[in-house]
Amino acid sequence: MASFPHTAVTAIREPEDRAQPVLSLRHISHRFDDLLAVDDVSLDVLPGEVVCLLGPSGCGKSTLLRLAAGLEVLQSGEVELGGRVVAAPGRPQVPPEKRNLGLMFQDSALFPHLKVLDNVMFGLSGLAPAERRRRALAMLGKLGLATHADSYPHLLSGGQQQRVALARALAPAPGLMLLDEPFSALDARLREQTRDDTLHVLKNSGAGTLMVTHDPEEAMFMADRIALMRDGRIVQLGTPYELYCHPVEPFVARFFGEVNEVVTQVQDGHITCAFGSVPAPGFEEGSEVRVLIRPEAVSVRLVGETHPHQRSHVVVSRLLGRTSLLHLCVHGEQGEEFHGHSRMPGVFLPPPDQPVALELDPSQVFIYPAS
């Protein structure tokens, strides 16, 4: 059972031989007129690590990435790249092109008049022509695009264009990659394949990566660590497992998907609601608590026939592919009625009014003070 009565950000234990970060953001704050877009954020990115800035629109994640890139003038705090200060108030700011970083955005921003190979070679102007061509072709080969070297961008699919943009950004071997919603313009199937290819190439490159996304599933797939943001601050920083299975506050639990919510009281060291009973360690007897229950935590067992609506029953069930989603009408011991959801593996489609019994998985039930 995971219960977290406190809302402080969980500390992450770091190894003693921790590598020097490729990016260090120290107490970054940034305003747009009266809007405080970023509020005292500190964050490191290690070599070979993918860190995702995750959060709703307007939470400050893209602004933070632009400050790291040098696309916005830093107002408060300090930006270090490889141990070198590149931005701090009162001193000249190192421009983006001199920060040894690669940029990749939602729009691939390829040059339409240049062939794919020439687009990738564009960022290698400091090398001899033969070396530029060799390195560009090698990078295209890693992304499965070598056969498209002489094609123009408009002849490629959206996913292929994004991989060309990635090749162009990685060709100069930057120490840091910055990705801002790079897959959001792609359809679902293309997005899955493109981000899978991107992750493999990023990991093989050894570059540290800071990536912005609003998609929790994408962040969990791509990231070694996730920084979940709200109102310009990091609410929780940790591995995908830590944020999903140990959310420090209700906002974190809700952000990773729908939850069933119940307000109840602690009795005999447990919470008991219409969905079931689980231990509530760390809470005072009789205290009011908010219980968040993931749909996959609600296991449904079919029971014998009875008159409809006199006990917990199925309202409607829907097949979602790998899982089935059940809308339930749940009755408690005192006659109270709740509506909630269960997510069951595979094809499980009981008819409407089918009576059910429920069982909770404590590992996906989260308890917080009601206030």
Side-chain angles (χ1 to χ4, degrees), residues 14-327:
E14 298 177 346
E16 293 182 1
D17 59 346
R18 186 176 187 270
Q20 177 174 303
V22 294
L23 170 67
S24 292
L25 304 174
R26 295 283 176 263
H27 302 292
I28 304 295
S29 294
H30 196 80
R31 285 186 176 275
F32 295 104
D33 297 324
D34 294 333
L35 174 65
L36 183 58
V38 180
D39 184 9
D40 193 25
V41 169
S42 295
L43 178 68
D44 289 341
V45 178
L46 301 179
E49 180 185 38
V50 178
V51 176
C52 279
L53 297 173
L54 175 67
S57 297
C59 71
K61 53 189 186 295
S62 288
T63 299
L64 194 60
L65 182 136
R66 291 177 61 84
L67 288 165
L71 300 175
E72 297 282 350
V73 177
L74 187 68
Q75 298 172 353
S76 178
E78 189 173 87
V79 177
E80 287 187 7
L81 291 177
R84 170 195 176 205
V85 176
V86 294
R91 60 188 298 173
Q93 178 167 297
V94 177
E97 64 272 15
K98 294 184 178 181
R99 293 195 178 192
N100 186 32
L101 53 81
L103 291 167
M104 183 176 171
F105 298 97
Q106 177 179 338
D107 181 355
S108 61
L110 300 176
F111 299 112
H113 62 290
L114 296 181
K115 293 180 179 181
V116 165
L117 180 61
D118 295 322
N119 265 279
V120 178
M121 291 170 59
F122 183 83
L124 297 172
S125 56
L127 301 176
E131 178 60 17
R132 292 174 66 205
R133 181 179 179 84
R134 185 200 66 77
R135 187 179 293 190
L137 283 172
M139 187 57 65
L140 287 172
K142 291 178 182 179
L143 286 160
L145 293 168
T147 57
H148 297 282
D150 292 326
S151 300
Y152 285 96
H154 72 274
L155 299 175
L156 306 182
S157 69
Q160 289 172 326
Q161 289 179 24
Q162 282 298 78
R163 279 184 281 166
V164 174
L166 177 64
R168 183 176 63 185
L170 282 172
L176 174 69
M177 282 291 298
L178 301 176
L179 282 61
D180 193 357
E181 303 275 9
F183 314 120
S184 59
L186 306 177
D187 62 61
R189 287 292 295 274
L190 196 55
R191 182 165 61 246
E192 290 181 4
Q193 183 60 54
T194 303
R195 70 188 183 193
D196 185 55
D197 293 340
T198 299
L199 180 60
H200 284 294
V201 173
L202 288 173
K203 284 297 186 181
N204 288 334
S205 75
T209 301
L210 184 64
M211 173 179 161
V212 165
T213 181
H214 65 274
D215 183 343
E217 182 178 306
E218 183 167 276
M220 294 182 74
F221 176 84
M222 293 290 295
D224 298 299
R225 290 188 298 149
I226 297 172
L228 179 60
M229 297 186 66
R230 178 185 60 193
D231 298 332
R233 298 184 67 88
I234 294 176
V235 178
Q236 186 172 355
L237 171 65
T239 65
Y241 173 84
E242 287 168 330
L243 269 70
Y244 193 83
C245 295
H246 300 287
V248 297
E249 63 169 80
F251 169 77
V252 181
R254 295 187 190 110
F255 199 85
F256 284 89
E258 178 195 6
V259 291
N260 303 299
E261 295 196 33
V262 179
V263 175
T264 186
Q265 290 185 330
V266 177
Q267 296 181 347
D268 299 324
H270 288 68
I271 63 96
T272 300
C273 64
F275 290 94
S277 178
V278 295
F283 289 92
E284 293 184 4
E285 185 71 12
S287 61
E288 191 173 61
V289 292
R290 183 176 302 277
V291 184
L292 275 60
I293 306 167
R294 295 202 192 279
E296 61 265 34
V298 182
S299 181
V300 173
R301 177 171 54 86
L302 306 184
V303 297
E305 295 294 334
T306 186
H307 190 275
H309 311 310
Q310 290 184 348
R311 63 183 302 173
S312 299
H313 62 276
V314 175
V315 177
V316 67
S317 53
R318 290 288 185 266
L319 179 63
L320 302 181
R322 290 170 290 185
T323 62
S324 298
L325 185 68
L326 278 61
H327 183 172

